[in-house]
Amino acid sequence: MTDRTTTAVDHVEDHSPGSGALPPRAWYPSSDAKSLSLNGSWRLRVSPTADAEDDSFAEPGFDAGDWAEVTVPGHWVLQGAGAFGLPIYTNHLYPFPVDPPHVPTENPTGDHLRVFDLPRDWPGDGGAVLRFDGVESCARVWLNGTDIGEFRGSRLPHEFAVGHLLKPAGNVLAVRVHQWSAGSYLEDQDQWWLPGIFRDVTLLHRPAGCVLDFFVHASYDHRTGEGTLRVDSDVDGRVFVPALGIDVATGEAVTVPVRPWSAEVPTLYDGELVTEGERVPLRIGFRTVERDDGLIKVNGRAILFKGVNRHEWHPDTGRALDAETMLEDVLLMKRHNINAVRTSHYPPHPAFLDLCDEYGLWVIDECDLETHGFTEQAWRDNPVDDDRWTPALLDRAARMVERDKNHPSVVVWSLGNEAGTGRGLTAMAEWIHDRDSSRLVHYEGDIDCRDTDMYSRMYADHAEVERIGRGLDGGTHRRRQLPFILCEYGHAMGNGPGGLADYQRLFEAYDRLQGGFVWEWIDHGITHPELGYAYGGDFGEELHDGNFVCDGLVFPNRRPSPGLVEFKKVIEPVGIEGAGTHGFDGTVRITNKRDVADLSDLVFEWSYQVDGETVETGTLSVPSLAPGASAEVKLPQPAGEVQGFESHWTVRALLAADTSWGPRGHEVAWGQGPLAARRLPSVAASDAPVLGERAITLGRASFDVRTGALRTIGGVEVSGLRLDVWRAPTDNDEGAPWQSDTRWATVWRTHGLHRMRHRIDSVEPGDDALTVRTRVAPAAREFGLRTVYRWTSDGTRVKLTVSVAPDGDWTMPLPRLGIRFGLQRADAVKWYGGGPGEGYPDTKAASRIGRWESTVDRLQTPYVRPQENGARPDVRWAEIGGLRIEGDPNFAFTARRWTTEHLDAATHLTDLTPGNTVWVNLDHGLHGIGTGSCGPGVLPQYQLRPEPAEFSFIFTELG
């Protein structure tokens, strides 16, 4: 029997961070020293256990010709269609027994080999460093047969001195990567477990006198407009910033007038650090971060985070991102008014922070630390409160801070996420505060704020957030003096999140509330040949958390979801609202909601719509308002009054010129308000129902003589028209297991709302109307809805008036309230109302009143797990399948090629097979969306409570 405590894999279960690696230092993308990328094709052998193979593969001359080839950076489980193992998704449960620091014997281990030659111009003098930017979760490294060290800390850089081992050609780099290690206990983030060398591998020449570590201190004094620069360096040299006339020695401070860096105006100065052996480019941003008067301030001004949490993700390559993908993320964020990123829950690829510096995003840089699974045992044996783990925690903090300390975009360090509390976290906070006093420290789990500089919460509901804003939240004296942020809120899982506008109103109303970060940026779906995108459980995981991994504002392919469009509107940096007594009746109020910049980069355009059609446009003269300032601006008088028609003003703020992140004319903000109200449609009841042998006719409509069901309107066949209260539950309807009060889908199903029965009480042809009385109720329950359908006609148009009265004891809201029916040969859709995208009662801030066109297929929103979607709100009329439908009052319109029941049963988009019938919902009311998948449910004002209701639709056959 082998004694595992004495084998060559002891390092896998070692508490320590590793051995052999050089001290952490600042990352920089380039210098005049030579470098060699070792990315590309590597040989790979995967074994089922950590000790299944010996170390002979690391020796020069080993024949790996029959090994597979994989791409580095990459995850081996995403490159072999199951041949090398499969992805595993858990939210917080460890997918192995919790027995720290031990891991299972079944420990997939990937032996990686790369043979490389040095370039012919590689210098013969000096040293060399081998750098790994990210390996999950534990790696042992050999170069030319020499064991140079091992490390744990997946999303952190590790460097090794290897100059003495290099030869001109035939260098053999061997890396043994274990999926599980002691380090896995510190990396229990809500994400896929994906082993591999997933970030860059680089060989760096280190000439004599080269730059080692350096720290760029670039502060800004908002009172004087001056910046002070000092670059501390381990090796003496000089610092040059030509645009500022700076030429000083390292360690020497110099103060000059500068333009400060901010997320809104990300001014960077190109410089250079020059030592005897190396020249390193610098991009310097002057800014000062402080906690002052209980607020987070940058350059003397309080800032409001309009942020997102961002995991690194690509549906094909996992956490291995290329430069183009990182840039796409940043551009999408900037174009959707996002100003901040929390790097959940680990430092990102350093190139992403370069982009944040360049394009302008506030960053909370978070350490690669989460021990969430210990909640299952009430945090017993939690590593962050166990001194044996403290060196590993401090190593992770240091590798983050030292790598990223020269990025002006990083304004806050975060100790990690959901790791409980303990001495290790305190040690991390103390080390960070001592090493870098120029930034603040965050950690949501520090509820008393003993170690942190701000009070942070996740998923606090609106009422609690308001109490905090008003200073009524209690807690320690220290906590009550600190600024507040929601490090996570607005869980963007599936359809939603709802209630964002209500949160934003609170952030803007109370200074102490300095914004938050929506969870999260992207759906972590994995491209799958049969399912479209796979989520938890689709790879046969025994333990998984389903589609909880798909909770982003963009879909896996980075197409913006309606949630992102909504968020853009909610956080827009310019307020545009009517200033007159009746809204936009001649005056509009413009408010600069930015933190730093004025409005001189924007132009404002107005337009005037009549019944949704734009009839006049022009340019609006708006002053270059300072941050926080407002002005009332007169709108022009419409050229002609249009009597009897609904009219609106729309004012838009657009980029006046091309910027680095958006083209001229890009819409930054907009506002819309009514001028004249809509005239409600009416139908004179001039025709009488005619009773035939098989049908009842009324105007151009025909009805079943026995049931009173509508069959045709002129030549248009209509099927199954009746009251509908069911929707395919959204992820937010389903709620979270730990939040029973928001799990409306369970309540609805328990009470049978997904299987309502329709009883016909009477079919009553009258002198001027056909009346059908019914009761709609779930099986096994005594409550229901008494529903009356009253049909009238003027000979051409047919009007349906639906009257609904709750019957019995209703204890829950309704999913929806309206009618559903089927149409044949329907494809093109036109409507006048909210659009162009979907909107629900608490997610329609971005819905703009206008005339819109689509196809039925384009009306659908492709949520990774199918669910209720696609409703267009506030519709006045819609045209589809040969019918024009007008509503009294406005209604929500949905059309799809499958029934709600089919949508409800689907688990992936590939389950949805279009039928020959298009099913149309015309809804008088919809239950809101909320964010109950991980957060508060639907606010009371957006809940669809059962109560008496009456609503009408007028149907006209299109010629």
Side-chain angles (χ1 to χ4, degrees):
M1 178 179 292
T2 300
D3 181 357
R4 294 186 74 243
T5 64
T6 60
T7 65
V9 294
D10 286 352
H11 65 282
V12 174
E13 297 183 338
D14 193 337
H15 293 92
S16 77
S19 63
L22 295 169
R25 65 188 182 112
W27 185 88
Y28 49 94
S30 64
S31 76
D32 65 343
K34 294 290 183 182
S35 66
L36 175 65
S37 172
L38 297 178
N39 294 346
S41 179
W42 289 53
R43 292 289 183 174
L44 173 72
R45 173 184 65 192
V46 177
S47 306
T49 65
D51 56 359
E53 302 287 348
D54 61 25
D55 302 345
S56 61
F57 82 104
E59 297 294 332
F62 181 87
D63 184 6
D66 61 345
W67 288 17
E69 290 190 51
V70 294
T71 299
V72 171
H75 305 279
W76 74 66
V77 294
L78 296 182
Q79 299 190 55
F84 307 136
L86 293 167
I88 299 170
Y89 167 61
T90 60
N91 168 31
H92 77 279
L93 297 175
Y94 290 104
F96 48 80
V98 180
D99 183 22
H102 304 299
V103 294
T105 299
E106 297 86 355
N107 188 356
T109 296
D111 291 333
H112 296 70
L113 271 179
R114 174 80 151 84
V115 179
F116 65 94
D117 299 336
L118 295 178
R120 277 183 284 185
D121 60 350
W122 191 268
D125 59 347
V129 164
L130 179 65
R131 182 183 183 94
F132 294 89
D133 280 307
V135 182
E136 183 176 333
S137 74
C138 171
R140 191 170 201 123
V141 186
W142 295 262
L143 182 61
N144 291 329
T146 298
D147 183 348
I148 60 174
E150 38 81 21
F151 59 90
R152 288 160 296 283
S154 298
R155 287 156 281 275
L156 297 161
H158 294 84
E159 292 182 331
F160 299 89
V162 296
H164 60 294
L165 299 175
L166 291 172
K167 53 187 181 179
N171 292 282
V172 177
L173 176 57
V175 185
R176 173 163 286 169
V177 180
H178 306 287
Q179 176 157 23
W180 311 122
S181 70
S184 301
Y185 284 99
L186 304 180
E187 297 170 5
D188 189 29
Q189 294 102 341
D190 174 11
Q191 62 181 348
W192 295 94
W193 299 87
L194 299 173
I197 306 172
F198 69 94
R199 286 187 186 158
D200 305 293
V201 183
T202 311
L203 183 68
L204 304 169
H205 179 239
R206 299 284 76 208
C210 67
V211 172
L212 296 178
D213 191 21
F214 63 96
F215 196 161
V216 176
H217 303 273
S219 61
Y220 178 74
D221 188 333
H222 65 277
R223 293 172 293 269
T224 65
E226 294 178 317
T228 299
L229 176 66
R230 188 185 81 247
V231 178
D232 295 333
S233 174
D234 289 358
V235 176
D236 290 343
R238 297 199 70 79
V239 176
F240 301 94
V241 186
L244 298 176
I246 292 176
D247 175 359
V248 296
T250 54
E252 181 179 332
V254 59
T255 299
V256 294
V258 298
R259 295 189 304 274
W261 187 96
S262 69
E264 293 171 3
V265 186
T267 302
L268 293 172
Y269 291 92
D270 290 326
E272 196 171 40
L273 169 61
V274 180
T275 65
E276 178 184 354
E278 190 175 14
R279 307 176 75 93
V280 175
L282 304 177
R283 303 209 77 192
I284 302 167
F286 290 87
R287 56 106 186 93
T288 294
V289 183
E290 60 187 338
R291 193 183 77 237
D292 180 45
D293 293 331
L295 299 175
I296 302 168
K297 293 184 178 180
V298 179
N299 302 331
R301 299 192 65 92
I303 60 175
L304 185 61
F305 292 118
K306 302 171 181 178
V308 293
N309 286 274
R310 175 186 178 269
H311 270 294
E312 295 181 300
W313 189 252
H314 189 283
D316 299 327
T317 60
R319 283 187 288 280
L321 300 189
D322 57 20
E324 292 75 17
T325 299
M326 289 185 272
L327 177 59
E328 185 177 2
D329 279 348
V330 170
L331 293 179
L332 276 170
M333 290 176 188
K334 293 292 291 187
R335 291 169 184 169
H336 287 85
N337 295 330
I338 290 165
N339 72 359
V341 176
R342 176 182 175 224
T343 69
S344 54
H345 297 294
Y346 44 82
H349 191 292
F352 178 77
L353 297 179
D354 283 342
L355 295 171
C356 294
D357 294 342
E358 180 178 354
Y359 291 90
L361 289 167
W362 309 116
V363 174
I364 294 182
D365 198 359
E366 192 150 271
C367 194
D368 189 9
L369 173 62
E370 181 167 339
T371 64
H372 199 171
F374 284 88
T375 57
E376 297 300 307
Q377 54 201 61
W379 296 106
R380 186 174 61 257
D381 298 327
N382 185 13
V384 304
D385 200 29
D386 183 335
D387 291 340
R388 294 175 297 173
W389 294 88
T390 300
L393 302 183
L394 289 172
D395 180 77
R396 288 172 181 247
R399 290 188 182 278
M400 171 183 70
V401 170
E402 302 296 5
R403 191 196 76 167
D404 298 341
K405 59 182 177 282
N406 295 325
H407 289 284
S409 58
V410 176
V411 293
V412 177
W413 301 116
S414 179
L415 303 181
N417 183 69
E418 292 177 314
T421 57
R423 292 163 288 174
L425 286 165
T426 297
M428 292 171 69
E430 290 175 349
W431 185 90
I432 293 174
H433 276 122
D434 183 67
R435 176 59 174 147
D436 180 21
S437 61
S438 69
R439 295 177 174 93
L440 306 181
V441 172
H442 165 272
Y443 177 63
E444 183 267 345
D446 183 10
I447 196 68
D448 291 329
C449 302
R450 182 181 63 176
D451 300 321
T452 55
D453 298 308
M454 62 201 69
Y455 178 29
S456 174
R457 288 287 306 283
M458 52 176 69
Y459 307 111
D461 64 27
H462 300 77
E464 181 180 1
V465 170
E466 182 164 20
R467 288 196 300 273
I468 294 169
R470 297 174 62 190
L472 303 177
D473 51 306
T476 64
H477 176 77
R478 171 176 167 77
R479 193 180 84 181
R480 297 197 307 273
Q481 309 308 308
L482 295 179
F484 175 80
I485 66 167
L486 276 171
C487 66
E488 294 179 22
Y489 81 111
H491 197 250
M493 186 176 177
N495 188 335
L500 292 178
D502 304 271
Y503 273 118
Q504 194 66 25
R505 281 191 284 271
L506 294 173
F507 297 158
E508 294 177 4
Y510 299 99
D511 291 343
R512 186 189 181 193
L513 307 181
Q514 293 198 250
F517 297 78
V518 168
W519 184 268
E520 65 158 303
W521 176 240
I522 188 168
D523 286 342
H524 298 196
I526 294 177
T527 302
H528 192 283
E530 298 171 1
L531 302 176
Y533 292 115
Y535 50 75
D538 288 334
F539 296 101
E541 306 102 301
E542 293 178 332
L543 188 68
H544 66 84
D545 286 281
N547 68 313
F548 202 71
V549 77
C550 295
D551 45 14
L553 291 170
V554 297
F555 296 117
N557 61 2
R558 284 178 163 75
R559 170 185 164 184
S561 77
L564 180 59
V565 177
E566 176 81 355
F567 192 42
K568 176 188 178 181
K569 173 61 179 170
V570 165
I571 62 173
E572 60 189 10
V574 183
I576 302 172
E577 57 186 359
T581 306
H582 303 290
F584 281 56
D585 60 354
T587 306
V588 62
R589 179 180 295 108
I590 308 294
T591 302
N592 182 356
K593 296 185 177 183
R594 290 169 165 174
D595 296 324
V596 174
D598 62 22
L599 301 185
S600 59
D601 60 322
L602 303 178
V603 294
F604 289 79
E605 293 184 355
W606 61 267
S607 59
Y608 177 55
Q609 291 85 35
V610 176
D611 269 8
E613 291 188 333
T614 297
V615 297
E616 293 183 59
T617 63
T619 300
L620 196 66
S621 180
V622 175
S624 297
L625 299 169
S630 296
E632 294 188 2
V633 180
K634 287 287 186 182
L635 291 167
Q637 185 70 26
E641 291 291 332
V642 183
Q643 297 295 328
F645 293 93
E646 182 179 20
S647 56
H648 288 86
W649 285 106
T650 302
V651 176
R652 305 164 65 220
L654 314 173
L655 288 180
D658 291 344
T659 70
S660 62
W661 53 266
R664 178 178 178 269
H666 167 79
E667 185 178 273
V668 172
W670 62 274
Q672 187 178 60
L675 186 61
R678 173 194 181 207
R679 183 173 60 186
L680 294 175
S682 62
V683 171
S686 57
D687 267 29
V690 177
L691 180 62
E693 182 178 345
R694 296 186 177 180
I696 300 172
T697 59
L698 177 63
R700 295 184 56 78
S702 67
F703 304 82
D704 185 278
V705 71
R706 183 177 61 85
T707 64
L710 178 67
R711 294 293 180 237
T712 63
I713 297 177
V716 179
E717 295 183 11
V718 181
S719 60
L721 189 151
R722 61 186 187 181
L723 189 78
D724 191 19
V725 300
W726 182 242
R727 73 184 186 195
T730 68
D731 289 315
N732 288 303
D733 291 337
E734 297 286 0
W738 58 89
Q739 292 175 286
S740 59
D741 60 331
T742 63
R743 304 193 72 187
W744 287 120
T746 299
V747 175
W748 293 336
R749 292 187 196 278
T750 299
H751 288 85
L753 299 195
H754 61 309
R755 47 178 172 78
M756 300 291 277
R757 301 292 186 261
H758 298 253
R759 186 186 76 209
I760 300 169
D761 290 335
S762 66
V763 178
E764 305 170 2
D767 292 340
D768 61 355
L770 172 65
T771 302
V772 181
R773 302 184 187 278
T774 71
R775 187 175 189 270
V776 183
R781 300 289 175 176
E782 64 178 356
F783 58 82
L785 298 167
R786 294 200 175 275
T787 306
V788 178
Y789 307 93
R790 186 173 188 272
W791 296 91
T792 56
S793 177
D794 63 1
T796 301
R797 298 176 296 165
V798 181
K799 180 178 180 180
L800 167 63
T801 299
V802 182
S803 301
V804 181
D807 182 20
D809 185 17
W810 282 85
T811 60
M812 77 215 77
L814 291 167
R816 68 177 351 125
L817 182 67
I819 62 170
R820 179 177 78 169
F821 56 89
L823 296 174
Q824 307 295 316
R825 298 181 298 278
D827 184 32
V829 182
K830 297 180 180 179
W831 74 98
Y832 170 36
E838 72 182 26
Y840 291 79
D842 54 350
T843 68
K844 63 177 185 176
S847 183
R848 197 176 322 200
I849 302 301
R851 293 199 186 194
W852 310 102
E853 296 184 11
S854 178
T855 64
V856 169
D857 292 339
R858 292 204 310 268
L859 289 176
Q860 315 310 308
T861 303
Y863 295 114
V864 175
R865 185 192 72 80
Q867 56 198 271
E868 166 64 33
N869 73 89
R872 270 51 180 185
D874 302 316
V875 173
R876 281 75 163 151
W877 56 255
E879 294 179 352
I880 182 173
L883 291 178
R884 179 183 175 96
I885 306 158
E886 300 172 85
D888 177 11
N890 301 336
F891 59 97
F893 171 81
T894 310
R896 53 176 67 99
R897 298 188 187 279
W898 36 78
T899 65
T900 298
E901 291 73 22
H902 288 140
L903 184 63
D904 190 5
T907 60
H908 295 82
L909 290 171
T910 51
D911 295 333
L912 294 171
T913 303
N916 295 324
T917 302
V918 170
W919 293 96
V920 177
N921 277 91
L922 310 177
D923 287 309
H924 175 65
L926 289 167
H927 187 62
I929 298 298
T931 180
S933 54
C934 188
V938 179
L939 289 169
Q941 62 266 37
Y942 305 121
Q943 295 181 11
L944 182 59
R945 291 292 172 181
E947 56 188 15
E950 184 172 283
F951 47 95
S952 300
F953 302 103
I954 297 172
F955 298 87
T956 308
E957 184 183 13
L958 296 172

